[in-house]
Amino acid sequence: MPFLLSTAAAAVEVKDLYQAKVPVNSQAKAERNRALKQALRAVIVKVSGQEAVVDNDLVKQAVAKPQQYLSQYTYERVASYSAKNEAVKNKLVLQAVFDENKINALFQQADLSLWGNLRPQVLLWLIEEQGLSRSILSSSSRSPLPDIATDYARQRGLPVIMPLMDLTDASQIQISDIWGRFAEPLRAASSRYYPEAIVVIRVSNSSLLSNIPQGEDEKDCILCQENNLILDWSLLTDNQVFGERRQSNDAGKLIEQALAEITQTIYQGYAQSPSNDNELLLDVANVDSLQTYMAVSQFLEKLSSVQSVRLVSARGTNRRFSLSLLGGRQALLASLKLNKLLQQHIDPLAEVRPDDVPVFYWGKS
């Protein structure tokens, strides 16, 4: 599923994929071992983009012995919010950094999908309804929900930003447009942020909650009585995807569940799926010096989904590379569309053939 909002769409290189922070009660050895297992599990979920990966037998074995993958760990005290919206100050956490090559090798050995470190920028419109009042939340709002959303997105390796809600935003979109999840006003108001995907999350204790399923009386809707909040979400890229409504009395938990589902949906468009199609020929134009050639080579080698790079041929300023991939060809090409250094050249008049070698321009074309 391609996620292409505009030619200027932004992508973010996630640099902390292979590290995680875990709250601890002390620096005792037993507590440290427990935290390292939890940290490795969190890293594997973040690298893969999906929760189900932890059920793999080889992953379970790895999590049981996290020291084999550990590069370093430190302790620090941080201030954070709990999922129940309660402020937690000076919490002791263990930060663990794991070896990228060993984690990637584990994924390859377990035949698991690998999400690259170049990921789409997501703009989150978070709107809260309390009674008859609706408000658009931003990072400067007094509500803890924006912090919960951005913290959890960071844990899942999903680059999320929120609108500033300054005079420009206020003049470009109405609350009713966001609440109604109307695509065109959302695209127009979001364009200043150059997102690759737009997300709307609605949290309500009134109008959404009052929509009792057809055929049920309110007194019979036990779920409605026990859970006084409801959340739903939509993801807008080239298409619009709507998530299911969820109910709870914990807004933070609802936000986290929604972002987990959104991450999984986006992941499917970019994950490096294991396959036999793990070799890719790639032409790069505008390579007019040794310095440029070295820059191109290093760029390709640093892609998390690329195992090795080999120069195949050189003609003029064109260089052909053979890439050995940790995942599939189409997934890598999808992730390359997010970067600004390589721009793919597509001749609309040329006959399209499945075996054509894709051509990219280095720098400006």
Side-chain angles (χ1 to χ4, degrees):
M1 174 168 48
F3 296 140
L4 199 55
L5 181 62
S6 71
T7 54
V12 175
E13 181 183 4
V14 182
K15 297 182 179 180
D16 60 351
L17 279 180
Y18 296 87
Q19 55 185 277
K21 294 182 179 180
V22 177
V24 292
N25 296 319
S26 71
Q27 298 185 26
K29 182 177 180 180
E31 181 71 356
R32 181 170 64 249
N33 290 338
R34 179 200 63 80
L36 287 175
K37 292 178 181 179
Q38 187 175 342
L40 179 55
R41 185 183 186 278
V43 163
I44 289 174
V45 170
K46 183 163 56 170
V47 170
S48 69
Q50 54 179 345
E51 287 277 1
V53 70
V54 296
D55 294 327
N56 180 277
D57 289 338
L58 289 180
V59 170
K60 290 180 179 178
Q61 295 175 21
V63 171
K65 299 179 179 179
Q67 291 82 0
Q68 296 180 358
Y69 301 88
L70 184 66
S71 294
Q72 65 179 42
Y73 70 89
T74 56
Y75 291 97
E76 61 179 295
R77 291 193 175 274
V78 299
S80 62
Y81 285 96
S82 73
K84 293 185 178 180
N85 306 345
E86 300 171 347
V88 178
K89 296 183 179 180
N90 297 323
K91 182 71 175 179
L92 182 65
V93 301
L94 178 146
Q95 176 170 304
V97 180
F98 296 94
D99 188 288
E100 176 178 349
N101 293 328
K102 290 182 179 180
I103 297 294
N104 289 349
L106 171 64
F107 272 69
Q108 190 173 22
Q109 182 183 6
D111 197 31
L112 293 171
S113 300
L114 177 71
W115 199 357
N117 59 355
L118 194 63
R119 302 191 174 188
Q121 181 71 78
V122 176
L123 178 66
L124 170 61
W125 295 91
L126 180 57
I127 185 166
E128 185 178 30
E129 180 182 63
Q130 294 184 345
L132 300 177
S133 175
R134 293 172 182 168
S135 57
I136 306 169
L137 303 183
S138 68
S139 56
S140 60
S141 299
R142 297 183 63 182
S143 169
L145 295 185
D147 284 337
I148 292 173
T150 53
D151 286 348
Y152 185 78
R154 190 179 301 114
Q155 293 174 26
R156 296 301 297 263
L158 185 66
V160 165
I161 57 173
M162 300 186 70
L164 298 173
M165 291 315 303
D166 54 10
L167 291 176
T168 300
D169 285 335
S171 65
Q172 288 187 346
I173 196 165
Q174 303 294 321
I175 290 182
S176 58
D177 293 327
I178 303 173
W179 188 262
R181 301 182 289 189
F182 297 121
E184 293 312 311
L186 281 168
R187 289 183 190 275
S190 302
S191 61
R192 66 183 291 208
Y193 299 100
Y194 301 110
E196 183 72 6
I198 302 167
V199 169
V200 175
I201 293 181
R202 307 188 302 180
V203 183
S204 169
N205 68 355
S206 53
S207 67
L208 295 183
L209 190 66
S210 64
N211 292 334
I212 305 300
Q214 186 175 3
E216 290 188 15
D217 294 329
E218 186 172 359
K219 64 180 181 179
D220 296 328
C221 185
I222 299 176
L223 186 62
C224 301
Q225 296 170 4
E226 294 179 348
N227 302 294
N228 57 5
L229 290 173
I230 192 165
L231 175 147
D232 61 16
W233 60 265
S234 66
L235 171 66
L236 177 62
T237 54
D238 53 342
N239 300 309
Q240 194 163 10
V241 180
F242 294 92
E244 295 183 5
R245 291 185 177 184
R246 293 188 176 275
Q247 291 180 275
S248 174
N249 58 7
D250 188 336
K253 181 179 179 180
L254 288 173
I255 293 286
E256 293 178 353
Q257 289 176 337
L259 285 170
E261 295 168 0
I262 292 164
T263 303
Q264 172 70 14
T265 302
I266 294 177
Y267 148 87
Q268 293 174 0
Y270 292 106
Q272 312 297 325
S273 300
S275 70
N276 294 326
D277 183 23
N278 61 355
E279 295 292 334
L280 172 66
L281 288 177
L282 192 75
D283 283 353
V284 180
N286 287 355
V287 184
D288 54 4
S289 67
L290 178 60
Q291 182 179 5
T292 303
Y293 165 73
M294 294 299 295
V296 173
S297 299
Q298 291 174 5
F299 171 82
L300 294 174
E301 289 171 352
K302 288 181 179 179
L303 293 173
S304 60
S305 56
V306 174
Q307 187 174 37
S308 63
V309 177
R310 178 173 59 90
L311 179 65
V312 175
S313 64
R315 178 179 295 180
T317 61
N318 186 83
R319 299 292 183 272
R320 175 165 293 184
F321 296 90
S322 174
L323 277 58
S324 178
L325 307 179
L326 292 174
R329 166 192 173 102
Q330 294 304 318
L332 175 65
L333 292 176
S335 67
L336 280 177
K337 289 180 181 179
L338 297 175
N339 81 86
K340 296 180 180 179
L341 289 176
L342 282 181
Q343 297 293 324
Q344 188 172 12
H345 171 72
I346 300 177
D347 185 351
L349 300 179
E351 179 184 356
V352 178
R353 299 191 306 274
D355 57 346
D356 278 347
V357 175
V359 179
F360 287 81
Y361 282 91
W362 179 257
K364 62 180 181 180
S365 58

